């Protein structure tokens, strides 16, 4: 699949078949994520592979408003839990902005695109209580959870959301305007 096709065909898949993704394909997805760039090449991202048992534990722990996880996290039999090690993330010297969430988001994005290229589906889940997830799965205090990425073989009834249109390019880009140009009325 050409890169532009991967970008155009990727959508949030919320319905998967029961067929598990092979370890060979999982390794390809992980390798793609491993190659993603990170601040100062510190590579703080850690990816946990969740199977049915861990996903079931998360679902059972998601009973209250405080521990709730988006239901999309439980639609597949496999998922990646994308984390970053707080002790390895780069901090910008000028304002101490920490890049762990950015770095791990880049990894997750690379993995989502590879999943699409392989003819599989995924959905980014960001609605969760990270503390509850860490306690439920026994994850180190140094590892911060940034996303859950359920993935799998796409169920034949799964279709892109027809209302999920993208905003026009004119609303996406911002052009610089010469501050001395009195004709310019935007910004």
């Amino acid at each position: 699949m050409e890169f532009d096709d991967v970008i155009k065909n990727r959508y949030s898949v919320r319905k998967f078949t029961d067929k598990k993704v092979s370890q060979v394909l999982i390794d390809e997805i992980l390798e793609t994520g491993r190659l993603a760039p990170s601040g100062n090449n510190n590579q703080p991202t850690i990816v946990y592979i969740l199977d049915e048992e861990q996903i079931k534990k998360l679902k059972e722990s998601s009973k209250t408003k405080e521990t709730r996880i988006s239901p999309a996290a439980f639609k597949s039999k496999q998922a990646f839990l994308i984390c970053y090690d707080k002790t390895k993330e780069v901090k910008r010297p000028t304002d101490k902005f920490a890049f762990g969430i950015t770095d791990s988001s880049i990894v997750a994005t690379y993995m989502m695109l590879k999943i699409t290229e392989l003819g599989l589906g995924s959905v980014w889940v960001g609605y969760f209580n990270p503390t509850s997830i860490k306690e439920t799965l026994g994850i180190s205090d140094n590892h911060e959870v940034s996303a859950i990425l359920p993935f799998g073989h796409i169920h034949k009834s799964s279709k892109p959301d027809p209302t999920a249109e993208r905003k026009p390019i004119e609303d996406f880009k911002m052009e610089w305007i010469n501050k001395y140009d009195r004709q310019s009325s935007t910004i």
Side-chain angles (χ1 to χ4, degrees), residues 1-110:
M1 191 180 297
E2 294 290 325
F3 184 71
D4 284 349
D5 294 329
V6 170
I7 297 296
K8 290 173 185 170
N9 289 321
R10 196 220 66 81
Y11 69 96
S12 294
V13 176
R14 291 182 174 85
K15 191 158 187 177
F16 301 91
T17 69
D18 287 338
K19 181 180 177 185
K20 291 190 179 181
V21 175
S22 72
Q23 190 60 52
V24 171
L25 295 182
I26 290 172
D27 290 345
E28 281 189 50
I29 297 163
L30 290 168
E31 178 63 10
T32 299
R34 188 185 72 80
L35 296 175
S38 63
N40 206 32
N41 197 31
N42 275 28
Q43 304 174 48
T45 305
I46 297 101
V47 179
Y48 293 90
I49 304 167
L50 305 182
D51 61 17
E52 281 184 88
E53 183 180 325
Q54 284 101 14
I55 293 168
K56 185 178 177 183
K57 282 182 185 178
L58 287 180
K59 188 173 184 177
E60 289 170 2
S61 74
S62 182
K63 300 281 187 207
T64 68
K65 185 177 180 181
E66 293 78 28
T67 62
R68 186 173 185 279
I69 300 172
S70 171
F74 314 122
K75 302 290 184 181
S76 70
K77 296 193 177 291
Q78 297 164 290
F80 295 115
L81 185 67
I82 313 295
C83 302
Y84 61 92
D85 186 335
K86 295 185 288 189
T87 67
K88 292 184 179 178
E89 67 182 327
V90 171
K91 292 188 171 80
R92 186 167 45 212
T94 55
D95 61 357
K96 305 301 180 218
F97 176 84
F99 281 92
I101 190 71
T102 303
D103 292 340
S104 62
S105 294
I106 294 168
V107 168
T109 301
Y110 270 43

